[in-house]
Amino acid sequence: MKNRYDLLIIGGGMVGSTIAAALGNTDLKIAVVEQQYPVEFQQGSEHDLRVSALSIASEQILKNLEIWDSIKARRSCLYRRMKIWESNENQASTEFNSDDIGAEHLGYIVENRVIQLSLLEKLKQFNNVELICPGDTISIDYSPGCSLVQLADGRELIGKLLVAADGGMSKVRAAAGIGVHSWDYDQHALVASVVTELPQQDITWQQFTPNGPLAFLPLSGNRASLVWYNRPAEVKRLLQLDDQQFTNELVKAFPDRLGKIESILERGAFPLRRQHAQEYVKEGVALAGDSAHMINPLAGQGVNIGLLDAAVLAETILAGHKEGTDISDLRLLKRYEQQRRNHNLMMMQLMDGFYRIFSNDLLPLKLLRNLGLGAAERLKPAKNRVMRFAMGLEGRLPALAKSEKR
């Protein structure tokens, strides 16, 4: 027996679940296939290694979908400032402060699992959304307007519109024959959750060194997430150290402002990779989030642009459906691609520019960095404009990211 749906979303992570939540309580029949349900959150448990810096636009999307209260009830950490500086603080630096633009904060640091749990919890409230979890996709037969997905338990699902929200190695994208432009950076990012002597601060910061940036993300209490960008061989060496040896390396590399690092809770690493789909849509298929783009995590924009993808795709589908347009129609889906692909490409190129300018010790670029950071500190209107854009307060945004009223 084949189950038929208007939308068949492969991937129930943050992006796929946001698309489904934005189309909840409509007359569209939706299935979300997610391989594994996240472990339930326990108050008082240690923070997960995987966290995201949510912008104001992302926060607004989640508020409009009535998910934000659930996230806040679990755990989040507000930040109001972001500081960027060169190898030492005697050189040029700049600080972004929400007070400068009359905002309460710049964003929140939230564990990925907390966001996903809150979204999946919401999906269960919709009669038109079926969450298939665990759901292991073993084959995808893409066909415009009538794609077939076979699950490991023998179920066969047919979707008028197939949505890829299944990550950078997307099976949906491969089945639809959509290629990617991609390359690896010669760096890995080592992420560590630590216990610090000082309580969490309301600031995130990045210090740029010749080997790559060092970043601090505050968590609740006296917990912090540290990100160390470095050469793959060096990251491999650091991961092989015991906790005390690793702590000693952190103390040498990271600035004193953290206070004493008292213990290491967890650590891991991932390679830095840029990837961009050659097209976001074909007849009967649409890509969103990491299946469409993977961006350098330097400024933490990956999740934010993925949630904007989700909001724009959902609004495009709903608008077309109300007009009486077939939701698998390529002309409709192109509206989504036109709004998101250029914006995402611009963000990717901007992050690449930062990466290439800051991740080396060439004297001309070092001078350029210092001039740039110094100018940013002096040119307040321009700096505030950049801050507003990064927060999702300016630019072309979907309605879900601009107003609390749907």
Side-chain angles (χ1 to χ4, degrees):
M1 182 177 177
K2 295 180 175 64
N3 299 297
R4 294 181 177 271
Y5 301 91
D6 295 305
L7 264 81
L8 188 47
I9 302 172
I10 307 302
M14 292 181 281
V15 171
S17 295
T18 296
I19 296 168
L23 296 170
N25 287 335
T26 66
D27 61 354
L28 292 167
K29 187 179 180 184
I30 301 167
V32 178
V33 181
E34 172 61 8
Q35 192 167 24
Q36 185 175 0
Y37 204 88
V39 176
E40 288 295 340
F41 176 81
Q42 299 293 327
Q43 293 290 349
S45 61
E46 289 294 354
H47 293 78
D48 293 345
L49 193 60
R50 296 178 62 197
V51 301
S52 294
L54 295 181
S55 67
I56 299 295
S58 292
E59 176 189 343
Q60 196 64 63
I61 290 168
L62 296 168
K63 280 183 176 179
N64 290 338
L65 297 177
E66 299 178 351
I67 290 154
W68 190 248
D69 286 346
S70 177
I71 290 172
K72 293 284 287 180
R74 288 180 165 99
R75 188 161 56 199
S76 63
C77 182
L78 173 150
Y79 64 96
R80 294 185 173 88
R81 297 174 292 144
M82 179 176 70
K83 183 163 185 177
I84 301 171
W85 73 92
E86 264 281 10
S87 299
N88 66 70
E89 290 189 76
N90 294 324
Q91 295 178 298
S93 65
T94 190
E95 181 175 304
F96 298 92
N97 192 315
S98 60
D99 290 344
D100 292 340
I101 58 170
E104 289 186 4
H105 53 274
L106 296 180
Y108 281 85
I109 308 298
V110 186
E111 292 154 86
N112 292 3
R113 178 168 61 106
V114 165
I115 302 169
Q116 186 186 14
L117 278 169
S118 300
L119 282 159
L120 294 177
E121 189 178 80
K122 185 68 177 180
L123 296 190
K124 295 175 184 178
Q125 300 175 18
F126 300 125
N127 292 329
N128 67 314
V129 178
E130 181 182 355
L131 176 61
I132 301 173
C133 183
D136 190 7
T137 301
I138 60 171
S139 71
I140 299 172
D141 182 9
Y142 161 69
S143 180
C146 189
S147 293
L148 174 66
V149 173
Q150 186 168 356
L151 304 182
D153 63 7
R155 277 184 287 182
E156 293 184 326
L157 316 174
I158 293 178
K160 181 181 292 185
L161 174 60
L162 185 62
V163 177
D166 53 342
M169 302 297 291
S170 173
K171 292 180 179 179
V172 174
R173 188 185 64 230
I178 298 176
V180 296
H181 298 290
S182 66
W183 65 81
D184 292 322
Y185 299 97
D186 188 25
Q187 274 194 334
H188 284 195
L190 188 158
V191 183
S193 295
V194 301
V195 179
T196 62
E197 176 186 26
L198 301 175
Q200 73 92 4
Q201 307 163 63
D202 67 350
I203 187 170
T204 71
W205 51 251
Q206 287 198 352
Q207 177 185 13
F208 290 99
T209 75
N211 293 324
L214 304 172
F216 164 84
L217 301 176
L219 303 175
S220 53
N222 61 336
R223 301 318 195 240
S225 177
L226 307 182
V227 188
W228 191 348
Y229 298 80
N230 216 314
R231 302 294 182 190
E234 177 63 6
V235 169
K236 182 179 180 182
R237 182 189 74 82
L238 291 167
L239 287 175
Q240 292 172 342
L241 300 177
D242 64 32
D243 281 355
Q244 186 55 57
Q245 292 171 325
F246 182 64
T247 300
N248 293 341
E249 295 282 354
L250 287 179
V251 169
K252 286 190 293 184
F254 280 76
D256 293 338
R257 62 174 50 217
L258 275 174
K260 181 182 176 183
I261 298 175
E262 297 186 337
S263 62
I264 308 298
L265 298 174
E266 191 178 357
R267 50 184 150 142
F270 57 90
L272 301 188
R273 181 177 180 80
R274 169 174 165 164
Q275 182 170 287
H276 203 204
Q278 293 172 358
E279 48 193 342
Y280 282 16
V281 299
K282 292 177 73 171
E283 187 86 19
V285 68
L287 315 183
D290 283 356
S291 67
H293 46 76
M294 295 175 68
I295 186 172
N296 192 304
L298 195 63
Q301 289 298 313
V303 168
N304 294 314
I305 64 176
L307 292 179
L308 286 171
D309 288 350
V312 172
L313 179 57
E315 290 180 4
T316 303
I317 290 168
L318 192 56
H321 183 58
K322 288 180 177 177
E323 295 165 4
T325 303
D326 187 330
I327 64 169
S328 68
D329 187 274
L330 181 59
R331 289 168 296 181
L332 173 67
L333 298 176
K334 279 288 185 181
R335 297 185 206 169
Y336 156 69
E337 181 180 62
Q338 289 163 2
Q339 188 168 340
R340 293 302 304 153
R341 196 172 191 279
N342 286 341
H343 177 275
N344 292 341
L345 182 59
M346 180 187 68
M347 188 65 74
M348 294 171 82
Q349 290 172 335
L350 184 62
M351 292 304 102
D352 272 355
F354 275 117
Y355 169 79
R356 296 184 191 286
I357 290 172
F358 282 98
S359 295
N360 62 74
D361 205 25
L362 294 174
L363 183 59
L365 289 180
K366 197 167 185 177
L367 292 172
L368 179 63
R369 293 197 297 260
N370 277 272
L371 286 170
L373 289 175
E377 196 58 26
R378 291 190 300 273
L379 300 174
K380 296 289 186 181
K383 187 176 82 166
N384 291 346
R385 185 81 183 269
V386 169
M387 183 167 29
R388 290 182 62 84
F389 182 79
M391 293 166 64
L393 295 175
E394 285 196 2
R396 187 180 180 186
L397 294 168
L400 276 173
K402 292 190 289 189
S403 169
E404 294 191 22
K405 296 179 180 179
R406 294 184 64 182

